[in-house]
């Protein structure tokens, strides 16, 4: 279904996009980042906080990383209260994603992952390749929301298309 090279490419894309969004968001005031902009999680800050929590929960499930603090999606919105903490945590998490994907092999992508989903309140079991795709798709989904909120706030993040990612030449 997918290969280690696919996961590594998506990790590079993840880092590139996060660097762009966080740089654009860093140019806004804290009030502008926290303003309710009508997105699913309301604000730029809350959406980025949720995305970090989501990355951590998937890294916990897929790579054995420590489980993130907070119980559930609602708690994820306020997991990082200070902007500087959110910035620093993003760099750390992206490093963990890079290290995890660099170590992947076809065997690691052939198994099944079992976990309790708080979102739907039951045990689940799914193929690892499907969950790796979900991991990166979840990031892209919420980064798209943040990109729209940043653009509406007057910030200008970079392009989002994978073919425009530096280093693909």
């Amino acid at each position: 279904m997918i290969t280690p090279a696919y996961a590594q490419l998506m990790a590079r894309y993840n880092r590139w996009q996060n660097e762009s969004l966080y740089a654009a968001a860093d140019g806004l005031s804290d009030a502008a980042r926290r303003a309710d902009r009508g997105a699913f999680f309301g604000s730029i800050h809350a959406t980025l906080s949720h995305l970090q929590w989501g990355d951590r929960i998937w890294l916990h499930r897929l790579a054995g990383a420590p489980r993130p603090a907070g119980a559930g999606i609602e708690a994820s919105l306020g997991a990082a209260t200070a902007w500087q903490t959110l910035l620093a945590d993003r760099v750390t998490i992206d490093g963990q994603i890079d290290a995890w994907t660099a170590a992947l092999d076809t065997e690691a992508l052939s198994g099944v992952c079992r976990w309790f989903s708080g979102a739907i309140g039951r045990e689940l079991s799914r193929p690892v390749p499907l969950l790796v795709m979900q991991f990166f798709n979840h990031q892209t989904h919420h980064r798209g929301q943040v990109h729209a909120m940043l653009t509406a706030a007057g910030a200008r993040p970079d392009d989002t298309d994978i073919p425009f990612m530096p280093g693909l030449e």
Side-chain angles (χ1 to χ4, degrees):
M1 183 181 274
I2 64 169
T3 65
Y6 166 83
Q8 292 156 9
L9 174 66
M10 294 308 295
R12 283 183 50 214
Y13 176 71
N14 169 67
R15 178 183 292 280
W16 174 55
Q17 287 300 296
N18 285 332
E19 288 170 354
S20 169
L21 292 184
Y22 277 75
D26 199 39
L28 300 175
S29 69
D30 195 53
R33 286 189 297 268
R34 293 176 185 275
D36 189 334
R37 298 185 180 277
F40 188 77
F41 293 120
S43 72
I44 293 165
H45 189 100
T47 304
L48 291 173
S49 181
H50 166 74
L51 188 49
Q52 285 189 15
W53 181 88
D55 285 353
R56 284 187 171 121
I57 198 72
W58 282 111
L59 284 170
H60 168 70
R61 293 170 182 158
L62 296 168
R67 184 174 176 81
I73 293 170
E74 194 62 36
S76 74
L77 306 183
T81 56
W83 175 245
Q84 292 304 317
T85 302
L86 208 60
L87 281 170
D89 288 352
R90 183 72 265 167
V91 172
T92 299
I93 296 166
D94 286 347
Q96 292 169 336
I97 294 168
D98 290 342
W100 166 60
T101 60
L104 283 176
D105 58 23
T106 53
E107 183 178 336
L109 292 172
S110 65
V112 171
C113 178
R114 292 172 178 76
W115 79 100
F116 179 83
S117 170
I120 62 172
R122 64 183 175 97
E123 292 285 330
L124 292 174
S125 176
R126 299 288 186 268
V128 169
L130 178 77
L131 298 178
V132 172
M133 288 189 303
Q134 167 57 25
F135 175 72
F136 290 114
N137 188 59
H138 180 256
Q139 294 170 341
T140 300
H141 168 69
H142 288 303
R143 278 197 308 260
Q145 293 172 329
V146 172
H147 193 283
M149 289 187 280
L150 286 168
T151 302
R156 296 288 175 250
D158 294 333
D159 289 321
T160 61
D161 297 326
I162 292 174
F164 301 149
M165 183 170 59
L168 287 182
E169 295 78 35

